[in-house]
């Protein structure tokens, strides 16, 4: 007789991920002690030896509860009993950046990165399920985010990659499975999961989505909402990946095209003047452009232009579909030093107006002290 169907399902998901990893490479399971990560760790302990790979487990002690160290010790013991070696815990200091959930996440991933590098692990497996994915999509929808955010959590990703090397690879084998499956798997294997009290604390957004928003949606629209949201995320991820690829290509072509042309110009080439540009585009000179004339810089403009680190041709950017164009503008801003975490859609939209609705606007100030401005048919991104 074979294993319980839930156990077999979790093991199959892990087996598929292991098949894509280098033979003989160490694999780690990140385990909180909850049902999802515990089922994952047990499946890895079963599958790794059969694929000729060493496997270990690590738990992160966030120090957010009085007995967190004791809990971490119990999880380590369970991991060792499953046959994972090495099995250990890492204590972290959780800061305050971005709220408690985000701060704990930052500390957790930093610790996992360090553990994976120290043990030379080929991958770290995470226990996120389809239900987690649905919650992530709903939270992205509530923020009014774009396709990339609504695409939810990717099944695999790399952190800390520098020029294609040195990154830590993460996999989410259970992203197509629901929580009920992992709970049944733990029960069938005689494992007792730990239920983190934070998972029932309504102070956390994800908890409110889990216990209030999703049940309300299923009440109103019928069952299967988590599966539908996860399916939507998968399709949006495919779309977002394609658009990102198109944008990367376009960005490379546009920057290469402008590089030689920009620096071949005389250092004293005249700046693009709002009045002449309006005439060029057959638009009347409005009060707005007249006002911009007062700010038409001379030497100061040339010095800022000389410091610009990214240059794009306005005409080439304008020819791009909006979904690609805004991605290109975001890439340019980030390349110039604007932090991705604080560069919002509203900032990119204002830069886009320099391309599609230009009426002599002087500049757009972006996070990180970066400024975008339009001169001589070009968009320049540089220090403010």
């Amino acid at each position: 007789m074979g294993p319980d169907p839930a156990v077999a399902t979790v093991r199959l998901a892990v087996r598929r991920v292991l098949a894509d990893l280098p033979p003989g490479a160490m694999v780690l399971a990140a385990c909180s002690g909850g049902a999802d990560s515990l089922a994952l760790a047990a499946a890895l302990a079963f599958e790794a030896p059969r694929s000729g790979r060493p496997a270990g487990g690590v738990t992160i002690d966030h120090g957010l509860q009085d007995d967190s160290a004791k809990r971490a010790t119990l999880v380590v013991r369970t991991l060792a009993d499953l046959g994972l070696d090495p099995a250990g815990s890492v204590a972290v200091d959780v800061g305050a950046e971005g709220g408690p959930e985000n701060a704990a996440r930052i500390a957790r991933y930093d610790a996992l990165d360090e553990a994976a590098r120290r043990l030379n692990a080929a991958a770290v497996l995470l226990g996120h399920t389809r239900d987690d994915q649905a919650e992530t999509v709903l939270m992205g929808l509530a923020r009014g985010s774009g396709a990339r955010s609504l695409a939810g959590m990717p099944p695999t990703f790399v952190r800390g990659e520098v020029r294609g090397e040195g990154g830590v690879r993460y996999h989410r084998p259970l992203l197509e499975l629901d929580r009920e499956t992992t709970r049944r798997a733990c029960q069938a294997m005689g494992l007792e999961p730990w239920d983190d009290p934070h998972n029932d604390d309504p102070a956390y957004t994800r908890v409110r989505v889990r216990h209030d928003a999703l049940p309300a949606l299923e009440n109103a629209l019928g069952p299967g909402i988590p599966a539908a949201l996860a399916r939507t995320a998968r399709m949006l991820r495919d779309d977002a990946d394609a658009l990102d690829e198109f944008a990367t290509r376009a960005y490379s072509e546009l920057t290469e095209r402008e590089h030689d042309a920009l620096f071949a110009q005389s250092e004293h080439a005249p700046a693009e003047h709002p009045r002449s540009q309006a005439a060029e585009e057959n638009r009347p000179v409005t009060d707005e452009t007249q006002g911009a004339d007062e700010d038409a810089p001379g030497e100061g403009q040339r010095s800022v232009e000389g410091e610009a680190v990214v240059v794009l041709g306005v005409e080439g950017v304008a020819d791009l579909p909006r979904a690609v164009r805004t991605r290109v503008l975001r890439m340019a801003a980030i390349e110039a030093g604007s932090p991705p975490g604080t560069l919002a859609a509203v900032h990119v939209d204002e830069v886009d107006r320099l391309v599609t609705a230009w009426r002599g606007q002087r500049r757009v100030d972006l996070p990180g002290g970066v400024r975008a401005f339009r001169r001589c048919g070009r968009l320049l991104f540089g220090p403010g």
Side-chain angles (χ1 to χ4, degrees):
M1 175 186 277
D4 181 273
V7 175
T9 299
V10 176
R11 286 177 179 175
L12 177 60
V14 170
R15 192 184 314 148
R16 286 172 173 162
V17 167
L18 293 180
D20 292 332
L21 298 177
M26 165 70 71
V27 183
L28 293 177
C31 183
S32 67
D36 303 336
S37 59
L38 194 56
L40 172 73
L44 177 62
F46 181 86
E47 293 291 338
R50 287 159 178 77
S51 68
R53 292 176 175 84
V58 60
T59 188
I60 306 302
D61 175 10
H62 296 88
L64 299 176
Q65 296 166 4
D66 292 340
D67 61 348
S68 65
K70 179 181 176 182
R71 170 55 51 189
T73 300
L74 292 174
V75 173
V76 170
R77 188 179 304 160
T78 300
L79 295 174
D81 289 346
L82 288 170
L84 294 173
D85 183 22
S89 68
V90 180
V92 298
D93 292 321
V94 177
E97 182 182 347
E101 290 171 281
N102 188 62
R105 179 182 178 279
I106 291 171
R108 180 167 59 253
Y109 275 109
D110 286 346
L112 290 173
D113 288 348
E114 194 279 329
R117 290 194 178 98
R118 176 167 42 84
L119 297 169
N120 197 28
V124 178
L125 306 190
L126 305 173
H128 297 115
T129 65
R130 186 172 67 193
D131 298 274
D132 296 307
Q133 185 73 297
E135 293 159 10
T136 300
V137 173
L138 265 188
M139 289 190 291
L141 187 62
R143 287 192 299 267
S145 304
R148 178 55 68 190
S149 179
L150 296 181
M153 297 178 287
T156 182
F157 62 100
V158 178
R159 279 173 51 90
E161 189 173 26
V162 179
R163 296 179 183 174
E165 297 181 359
V168 176
R169 181 167 293 279
Y170 289 82
H171 289 268
R172 295 183 171 107
L174 311 184
L175 214 49
E176 298 295 326
L177 311 184
D178 60 18
R179 274 194 203 111
E180 185 57 35
T181 299
T182 62
R183 284 207 167 272
R184 287 202 317 267
C186 285
Q187 185 177 15
M189 290 184 286
L191 299 172
E192 187 176 344
W194 171 61
D195 291 319
D196 186 344
H198 284 164
N199 290 336
D200 292 315
D201 186 349
Y204 296 98
T205 303
R206 186 176 288 274
V207 172
R208 296 195 299 274
V209 169
R210 180 176 304 169
H211 294 304
D212 299 332
L214 276 169
L217 282 174
E218 291 205 305
N219 243 358
L221 303 175
I225 296 298
L229 288 170
R231 188 166 57 249
T232 299
R234 187 170 60 249
M235 291 186 287
L236 278 171
R237 193 179 313 118
D238 292 341
D239 293 348
D241 287 346
L243 288 169
D244 285 349
E245 186 177 339
F246 296 150
T248 299
R249 261 188 244 149
Y251 178 78
S252 179
E253 291 170 3
L254 287 167
T255 52
E256 286 176 12
R257 185 188 308 167
E258 291 301 321
H259 182 272
D260 291 340
L262 176 70
F263 291 102
Q265 284 185 357
S266 164
E267 188 182 36
H268 300 289
E272 179 177 78
H273 195 279
R275 186 183 301 278
S276 62
Q277 179 68 16
E280 211 178 272
E281 298 177 4
N282 297 317
R283 288 196 292 265
V285 179
T286 64
D287 291 341
E288 185 179 6
T289 60
Q290 291 280 13
D293 286 357
E294 299 170 8
D295 195 54
E299 291 297 320
Q301 184 183 73
R302 287 195 291 275
S303 69
V304 172
E305 181 171 319
E307 293 175 347
V309 294
V310 178
V311 184
L312 301 172
V314 169
E315 187 176 343
V317 175
D319 287 341
L320 298 172
R322 174 176 165 78
V324 177
R325 185 174 67 243
T326 53
R327 281 169 164 80
V328 166
L329 296 176
R330 179 176 173 82
M331 288 178 191
I334 292 171
E335 181 70 19
S338 193
T342 53
L343 182 65
V346 64
H347 300 123
V348 177
D349 285 345
E350 284 305 306
V351 178
D352 191 42
R353 282 172 52 80
L354 294 179
V355 178
T356 61
W358 193 73
R359 297 293 187 277
Q361 301 97 304
R362 290 173 291 183
R363 63 179 180 267
V364 175
D365 291 317
L366 302 171
V370 173
R371 177 174 293 173
F373 51 97
R374 177 171 170 157
R375 297 289 183 269
C376 303
R378 294 184 175 92
L379 277 183
L380 297 102
F381 297 77

